[in-house]
Each structure stands twice: as structure tokens, then as C-alpha cells.
Amino acid sequence: YQIGGTIGNGIHRYYRYLTDNIFDSRAAAELPLQGTEDLPRKLKFGGAYQLNIKKSDQFDYEVMSSAIKLTSDDLNPFFDPNNFDIATDANGNKTINMYYILNDDPSNHTFGKSSIVAGYAMVDYSIVPSWRFSGGLRVEQANIYTDVVKYDLMHLKADDLRRQQGDKMINPGKLNEINYLPSATLIYNIRKDEKAPINLRANYSQTVARPSIRELSSVSIFDYEFRANVVGNSNLKNKKIKNYDLRFE
């Protein structure tokens, strides 16, 4: 085997630090409407707020050395700290065989912020003993932003040439959108029995799938599990989903 800084992608030591702060809160209440014990009717409403702030730092130290041959699988002699010392040769010249350099690329330091504010109101209404309706509206506002720390401090716009990293442009990931998500459920009580009730339920709802902070980041990071670089896409958008459900219970 051969090992060294000039073979393949070289030898790297990565030190990674991630700060991930999440605040999640929600409140809900319900009010009874005019009804009876056999015909329960109520109004439900509430809200939620979630804040997620991420800060990621990566320090990439690359071993600078010439290629050497290994006669076994033991790497300890190669990485012996003595190999990284300054030595003196027979002529009194100072030499160093191995040393680390820091590849301090701006994209190694990123941040992201995500805030989601939501509110809903719905009614749970028994029409007659065998028919019940439940439905309402949920409103969500999502604001997500992620970028390289240095580029954000410099106020660089998207596609600025100073954002170029190799053949890839490191653009900020932005998402600011309000979604209106209705839902409606109609339940027919075929047999009202506490031990063995039978219901027929029809449901319609709208939901949304939104990208995470990491998925919006254009920065490429090496993943040791996949043994490949993982990169996001700053152009991702929310995906609206319509759900239809018919159930026999």
C-alpha cells in the first residue's frame, strides 16, 4: 500500500462543531357550542411557534507529506508525532517531513435560521346522532434562511462570482411562504356501540412538505457513512400535498 498527501484526495482530519438550538411551543383551547350530550359540538383553536438556529463549523487539516509505502495495516508509525517534528540532517539543515495545513474555506462555516408560525381553527360538530363533521383551516408561515457566514457578512448577492467554489456556486438558501391548509372530515356512525362501534369516515386535507436548513444549503460536506460529498439545493421550494382518505372502521 501507499499513503501520502499526494495520493488520491490526500489525508484529512476534520473537526466539526454543530450548535443546534430549537425552541418549540404550542397552545390549544376549545369552547363548547350549543349542543346536547348526544350531539357534542365544540370549537377548537390554537397556535404554534418553532424557532431553529443552527451554526456549523468545520476545520479541515490536510497532511502534507510525500508518498511512502506501507508493509502492514498499522498506520500508527506513519502518524507518529515525531514525524511532524523539525529534524536536522547530517549537514545541519532543518527539515520537516510531515505537517498539517488548514484548508480554511469560507464554506466550512455556515449558519441557518428557521421560524415557523402557525394558527388553526376548527369545528367538531355533530349534525345528528349518526353524522358528525370535523373541519377547519390551518395557516402556516415559514421563513428559512441559510448561508455561508463570510458571504452573509459581506452581503453578497446570489450568483456573485465571489461565491464560486470550483464549478459550483454557493448561493444562500431562502424560503418565505404562507400556506393555507384546509381539512374536512365526515363521519357516519353505522353502529353506535361502546364495545364494537362501526364508522365510515371520509377525509380531505392539505399538508405541506418543506425543505430543512441543511437541504437548502448549497455547501458540499463529505459524509463518512455514504463515503461521498452531500450537497443541498438552494432552489428547493415547498411541496403542497392533497390527501384523500376513505376508511371503514
Side-chain angles (χ1 to χ4, degrees), residues 175-202:
L175 193 153
N176 191 351
E177 189 172 317
I178 298 178
N179 297 109
Y180 299 91
L181 308 172
S183 67
T185 301
L186 189 61
I187 303 170
Y188 175 55
N189 184 241
I190 300 174
R191 185 173 69 185
K192 196 170 185 178
D193 187 311
E194 291 186 2
K195 293 184 178 180
I198 299 177
N199 293 327
L200 184 64
R201 181 189 302 261

Side-chain angles (χ1 to χ4, degrees), residues 123-185:
V123 62
D124 191 351
Y125 197 91
S126 295
I127 306 171
V128 293
S130 58
W131 287 94
R132 178 175 151 216
F133 171 81
S134 176
L137 179 68
R138 178 180 178 91
V139 181
E140 291 187 358
Q141 181 183 26
N143 192 344
I144 305 175
Y145 182 80
T146 179
D147 198 5
V148 173
V149 174
K150 181 178 180 179
Y151 299 159
D152 181 71
L153 292 174
M154 294 174 65
H155 305 290
L156 298 184
K157 295 182 179 180
D159 296 323
D160 189 301
L161 292 179
R162 289 170 289 182
R163 289 180 172 272
Q164 190 78 29
Q165 185 183 50
D167 60 349
K168 185 168 182 60
M169 187 69 70
I170 309 298
N171 282 328
K174 299 179 182 179
L175 193 153
N176 191 351
E177 189 172 317
I178 298 178
N179 297 109
Y180 299 91
L181 308 172
S183 67
T185 301

Side-chain angles (χ1 to χ4, degrees), residues 9 39 55 81 85 87-88 95 124 135 153 155 159 218 234 245:
N9 293 322
L39 297 174
K55 177 70 167 60
D85 258 344
T88 304
T95 62
D124 191 351
L153 292 174
H155 305 290
D159 296 323
S218 298
S234 60
D245 186 25

Side-chain angles (χ1 to χ4, degrees), residues 24-29 45-50 116-121 138-139:
D24 196 355
S25 62
R26 60 192 66 195
F45 56 92
Y49 174 68
Q50 184 185 85
I116 301 174
V117 182
Y120 77 92
R138 178 180 178 91
V139 181

Side-chain angles (χ1 to χ4, degrees), residues 109-120:
H109 308 281
T110 62
F111 75 96
K113 180 179 180 181
S114 168
S115 65
I116 301 174
V117 182
Y120 77 92

